[in-house]
Amino acid sequence: YWNQRGELNFDRAESLLQRALALEPEFARAHAALADVWLMRATYRQLGGGFEVSRELAQLRASTSRASELDPTLVDPLAARAYGLMLENRRTEAGNLFADVLTRAPDNPTFLYWRALYAMNEGDFPAAQRDYAKARTYDPMSFIIWQNSGECSLVLGRYEEAAAQAARGHEVRKGGFVQSVATQAVASWLAGHRDAAVNLARSTRLPELQQLPWIKAAYAVWVLRQAGHDAEALTYANDDLSTLPADS
């Protein structure tokens, strides 16, 4: 559930982990996994715009501390803590902790993926691409790794590769992933596949693809405007802007 993302899935994951902790309160891995849930909640609420995440970050810190206290050998809570530091914009601390985490667990796809996000935030896209490539090798069925690989390739100007990676992200997630469709639309346009790009952009409005709508509208609107469909793009933009929090 956690790996599928989305608020409902985070709730499901938390419920199962709390059941595990009710059976064994000192189960360190359950505390570490609970930290991951709070971490992704904070991430997705920030991406949604206008959300206060201090509670999520406080819960993250409490869960990582408890997990490390119960089992100091666990790397998982350190990785979650590093990501949390990145969300708090404590960039140097985050980078140092990610380096330590990957020294201890160099083949963990989630940790590699998180460090790749850190590298992208720092503007080091070649380093991010290397971590994404390793992460895909270790977990080829992670839709979110494929999706962000596509985002990275897009920035690097590798448009065909970006489109293929985003398409794979949409394919491997149960129910699809609208952001991957939008990323594929932009990459396809920049690769010269104009008709396909417009069709992909329009498909991001399908009801069945609205499980995680953030950011996708900006990509789709851009493609529609590039194609000269200004009125359609404006309607799309206005409709989606109306769904955002007022203070976003």
Side-chain angles (χ1 to χ4, degrees), residues 82-111:
Y83 196 124
L85 290 168
M86 182 175 71
L87 294 182
E88 295 176 39
N89 204 32
R90 295 163 63 180
R91 294 156 53 185
T92 300
E93 294 171 81
N96 291 337
L97 192 49
F98 273 127
D100 179 45
V101 165
L102 268 300
T103 297
R104 303 188 194 195
D107 58 354
N108 185 294
T110 298
F111 304 165

Side-chain angles (χ1 to χ4, degrees), residues 22-96:
L23 293 169
E24 179 47 76
E26 296 189 349
F27 185 16
R29 287 194 175 277
H31 285 284
L34 194 56
D36 290 345
V37 173
W38 287 111
L39 177 61
M40 287 300 107
R41 275 203 180 113
T43 299
Y44 276 67
R45 288 179 182 177
Q46 283 189 340
L47 288 167
F51 290 100
E52 170 59 50
V53 296
S54 58
R55 173 175 174 267
E56 287 76 14
L57 293 176
Q59 294 281 5
L60 162 67
R61 289 190 292 269
S63 294
T64 56
S65 294
R66 183 59 175 149
S68 293
E69 175 188 344
L70 291 168
D71 186 352
T73 68
L74 274 184
V75 182
D76 304 60
L78 300 180
R81 194 173 303 150
Y83 196 124
L85 290 168
M86 182 175 71
L87 294 182
E88 295 176 39
N89 204 32
R90 295 163 63 180
R91 294 156 53 185
T92 300
E93 294 171 81
N96 291 337

Side-chain angles (χ1 to χ4, degrees), residues 138-210:
Y138 295 126
D139 188 0
M141 294 303 292
S142 172
F143 84 93
I144 199 66
I145 292 174
W146 282 108
Q147 159 58 21
N148 283 280
S149 296
E151 294 273 7
C152 188
S153 295
L154 188 63
V155 174
L156 289 168
R158 302 171 68 161
Y159 303 131
E160 297 283 5
E161 186 176 295
Q165 289 167 341
R168 183 61 177 157
H170 178 58
E171 178 185 349
V172 299
R173 185 189 189 277
K174 182 180 179 181
F177 190 51
V178 69
Q179 180 58 25
S180 290
V181 179
T183 302
Q184 188 184 359
V186 171
S188 296
W189 180 271
L190 293 170
H193 308 302
R194 304 298 169 83
D195 291 341
V198 170
N199 289 335
L200 286 163
R202 287 172 171 160
S203 76
T204 64
R205 304 203 75 185
L206 294 173
E208 61 268 27
L209 283 181
Q210 299 313 302

